[in-house]
Amino acid sequence: MSKNEEKNIQDIINHLKVSGFVYQNSEIYGGLINTWDYGPLSTNMMTAIKKYWVREFISREGNYQIDSKIIMNPKIWKASGHIDNFADYLIENKVNQKRYRADHIVKDLFPEINVEKATFEELENIIKEKVKQYDNEKCEWTSIRPFNLMFKTQMGAIDSTAAQTYLRPETAQGIFVNFKNVSRTTRAKLPFGIGQIGKSFRNEITPRDFIFRTREFEQMELEFFCEPEDSEKFYYYWIDKCKKFVELLGLKNSNIRIRPHEKEELSHYSLGTSDIEYLFPFGWGELLGIANRGNYDLSQHMKYSQESLEYLKDDGSKIIPFVIEPSIGLDRLLLALLIDAYEVEKLEKDDERIVLKTDYNISPYQLAVFPLVKKLEEPAKNIYDKLLKTTDIRVIYDKTGSIGKRYRRQDAIGTPFAITVDFQTLEDQTVTIRNRDTMEQERISVDEVEKYLEKFVK
Ligand code: ATP
């Protein structure tokens, strides 16, 4: 098992592109900068991850899931603070007009400086005084200015600022503005959570590190409403739950850490924020965040909408609930899971294999079916069809190339098991089943395949 620091991110990216996990977006038109599409393999994985999120954050907790819109009333973004404050520090190199996030430059060149704590004046001074060359080019810097990350768009056929709307930069606000609807129609009692999965958009100044930071991405967010005095307890509960969740999906404990934000880093309304970080080959990076947001969001929406979003307690008193928000980025989680799973293993006779040791439950395919030779295609296809139609196992059929080649191909896309139909199958209805990780094979009856795999279901 190799360490993440030793893994080469470019090798992993190449592998993911070549094997069909990720495609360049708009490829036949020359692409669109830093924008990626997901192929069938990633899509299968993401569907499985979302299923687990729904199970762990919604169903098993008795929470509620909704699906609000990407474009909402623009007043929402005024109330939430995004119009005024959702900005990164932009700095431009006057020599070539290239624009950067000031904190990224400082983080890259002076890793000893804690950029999360630095003010924009401090960042500007450091860059202007010390950075004379960046990105292999001579530099002369402008002043720093805030750059709002929200994508603007227009609604309807009118081309005026009056019709200006935004693509949501997070799914959370769609939950806050539906708080009253959900609590009224479900009659839920505190504490309870409302979650949603959906696309969010941020006009990042410098999207980078492959799918780690992109302008369109997917989030899985839960807003967990509770009484103010319980908020600290639930804050720690959800931190623990998030850690267990990423471990359930297979991330190695040694590559994960919890990083509580220091006071200077916290948003003015936050009573506590912790990130779960992952050790990417390019360094520790935020995978997801958990925040105790107090009653800031509901209070803001009450103020701007003039609607009461108070909660009526059984004793007749009214409160504005506090909220704990575990917010997970699906694309980053996918990247972390793929990096974690990626191994190049030395085999006998100078041979090697690329193997993705993904957890059975989120693997793109869980089982491959091979006919040993062409003559056995029909019985193999019949087994494949039966598994497809009568089980939930994600099965793939492969008949091309030698068996050895087919094993390598499945190893490379993370298929944990493969069964091979041979001549003995015709006599006694048994097949060999081969384990991706141990490469060991055993013989089992065709009828036992489903039961055999059930052991790995979490
Ligand atoms: P960062 O500091 O990396 O920009 P953030 O603190 O702004 O992230 P949040 O607003 O807390 O991020 O968003 C919650 C989660 O959404 C993040 O933990 C991350 O997984 C995901 N996310 C945020 N921005 C992006 C992006 N541009 N591309 C992919 N995922 C993202």
Side-chain angles (χ1 to χ4, degrees):
M1 208 169 64
S2 45
K3 289 200 174 128
N4 275 11
E5 297 94 314
E6 292 156 10
K7 291 182 182 175
N8 181 318
I9 186 71
Q10 203 48 52
D11 289 347
I12 299 178
I13 293 173
N14 291 344
H15 176 70
L16 297 177
K17 287 184 187 167
V18 170
S19 53
F21 279 88
V22 179
Y23 307 133
Q24 185 177 23
N25 167 275
S26 315
E27 186 169 329
I28 61 169
Y29 286 97
L32 179 68
I33 190 146
N34 286 307
T35 311
W36 313 96
D37 290 342
Y38 295 117
L41 301 173
S42 293
T43 308
N44 278 0
M45 270 182 91
M46 289 162 92
T47 304
I49 295 168
K50 287 190 263 192
K51 203 182 97 192
Y52 274 94
W53 183 86
V54 172
R55 187 181 91 176
E56 296 301 319
F57 287 80
I58 305 288
S59 352
R60 289 202 174 163
E61 295 283 342
N63 291 332
Y64 303 90
Q65 191 179 1
I66 63 163
D67 189 16
S68 72
K69 290 290 175 260
I70 287 170
I71 296 178
M72 302 195 290
N73 188 318
K75 286 181 194 155
I76 289 172
W77 306 112
K78 185 71 190 165
S80 68
H82 283 84
I83 289 181
D84 296 324
N85 302 318
F86 192 58
D88 279 335
Y89 296 141
L90 181 146
I91 194 162
E92 187 173 326
N93 181 0
K94 288 190 254 181
V95 177
N96 56 15
Q97 281 79 48
K98 277 196 190 160
R99 294 169 163 198
Y100 301 94
R101 245 177 86 166
D103 56 329
H104 280 173
I105 298 180
V106 176
K107 202 172 176 182
D108 284 350
L109 301 180
F110 311 102
E112 68 285 0
I113 296 177
N114 185 346
V115 291
E116 322 282 356
K117 281 192 193 173
T119 63
F120 90 87
E121 286 93 351
E122 283 163 347
L123 293 174
E124 188 174 294
N125 287 341
I126 296 168
I127 295 173
K128 282 189 164 170
E129 278 168 27
K130 299 192 178 157
V131 184
K132 305 291 174 206
Q133 197 161 4
Y134 191 66
D135 247 1
N136 296 320
E137 309 227 28
K138 259 187 71 173
C139 302
E140 211 183 299
W141 299 104
T142 60
S143 299
I144 288 183
R145 66 177 172 90
F147 176 79
N148 195 292
L149 298 184
M150 280 201 295
F151 273 98
K152 293 191 185 85
T153 187
Q154 239 117 36
M155 190 130 175
I158 327 156
D159 198 9
S160 80
T161 47
Q164 183 173 294
T165 49
Y166 302 89
L167 304 187
R168 68 178 175 203
E170 59 175 37
T171 67
Q173 299 303 324
I175 295 175
F176 295 127
V177 299
N178 276 300
F179 171 72
K180 204 173 154 183
N181 288 334
V182 177
S183 43
R184 181 175 54 83
T185 52
T186 61
R187 295 179 304 280
K189 294 273 168 227
L190 289 183
F192 67 92
I194 309 173
Q196 78 169 321
I197 299 178
K199 290 287 176 87
S200 293
F201 302 80
R202 296 182 187 181
N203 197 4
E204 298 276 355
I205 298 167
T206 41
R208 59 181 198 173
D209 297 324
F210 196 41
I211 56 172
F212 178 85
R213 184 178 304 286
T214 52
R215 293 193 169 113
E216 173 178 342
F217 55 96
E218 199 158 7
Q219 291 184 309
M220 306 185 286
E221 294 195 296
L222 179 74
E223 306 304 322
F224 189 78
F225 300 96
C226 62
E227 305 238 3
E229 57 270 29
D230 293 335
S231 71
E232 188 160 309
K233 177 181 81 185
F234 286 121
Y235 171 61
Y236 290 108
Y237 174 81
W238 286 107
I239 293 175
D240 186 53
K241 181 88 184 192
C242 284
K243 183 158 179 287
K244 289 194 177 123
F245 176 66
V246 295
E247 286 169 356
L248 172 81
L249 301 180
L251 283 190
K252 293 180 196 89
N253 185 279
S254 52
N255 291 331
I256 306 166
R257 72 177 185 197
I258 298 173
R259 190 181 69 82
H261 285 203
E262 293 182 40
K263 264 216 171 80
E264 297 87 330
E265 252 185 271
L266 293 179
S267 332
H268 62 95
Y269 51 81
S270 175
L271 303 171
T273 298
S274 291
D275 290 341
I276 293 190
E277 296 188 331
Y278 179 76
L279 183 56
F280 291 93
F282 43 84
W284 288 96
E286 173 180 336
L287 197 56
L288 61 101
I290 303 100
N292 179 347
R293 302 176 62 94
N295 63 13
Y296 175 77
D297 305 275
L298 290 181
S299 302
Q300 285 292 101
H301 288 302
M302 276 177 69
K303 193 166 128 196
Y304 281 80
S305 69
Q306 302 283 305
E307 288 271 341
S308 167
L309 301 177
E310 286 169 316
Y311 171 84
L312 183 66
K313 290 188 17 170
D314 286 343
D315 66 7
S317 61
K318 285 180 177 173
I319 58 160
I320 306 174
F322 273 34
V323 68
I324 309 300
E325 174 190 83
S327 172
I328 307 179
L330 183 58
D331 309 63
R332 274 189 200 178
L333 181 55
L334 175 75
L335 180 62
L337 287 162
L338 289 167
I339 291 169
D340 228 50
Y342 181 91
E343 298 285 343
V344 181
E345 281 184 357
K346 293 259 170 289
L347 304 172
E348 290 155 23
K349 293 187 234 136
D350 289 340
D351 198 8
E352 63 173 30
R353 67 165 183 162
I354 292 180
V355 52
L356 289 186
K357 296 191 168 171
T358 43
D359 181 84
Y360 173 81
N361 297 279
I362 57 155
S363 293
Y365 292 102
Q366 297 167 306
L367 178 72
V369 178
F370 307 150
L372 180 67
V373 291
K374 210 167 176 332
K375 260 196 182 153
L376 293 164
E377 272 177 32
E378 200 187 314
K381 198 79 204 294
N382 288 341
I383 291 172
Y384 165 74
D385 281 339
K386 190 163 175 219
L387 287 164
L388 270 189
K389 300 221 157 54
T390 62
T391 74
D392 289 330
I393 303 164
R394 291 188 288 282
V395 208
I396 184 170
Y397 180 74
D398 190 358
K399 60 176 187 180
T400 45
S402 69
I403 285 289
K405 280 222 177 81
R406 282 182 258 171
Y407 282 148
R408 289 289 173 282
R409 208 180 290 144
Q410 296 305 324
D411 290 344
I413 63 167
T415 313
F417 295 98
I419 56 175
T420 302
V421 173
D422 55 23
F423 288 102
Q424 196 183 323
T425 314
L426 303 181
E427 282 163 29
D428 62 6
Q429 290 296 302
T430 62
V431 286
T432 57
I433 185 157
R434 182 245 193 200
N435 182 309
R436 172 196 67 194
D437 300 344
T438 62
M439 295 194 276
E440 273 162 18
Q441 300 184 18
E442 49 185 308
R443 229 179 153 90
I444 62 170
S445 149
V446 175
D447 296 335
E448 277 167 19
V449 172
E450 194 181 355
K451 208 159 151 235
Y452 183 95
L453 295 177
E454 248 165 41
K455 293 188 295 237
F456 302 93
V457 175
K458 281 183 190 160

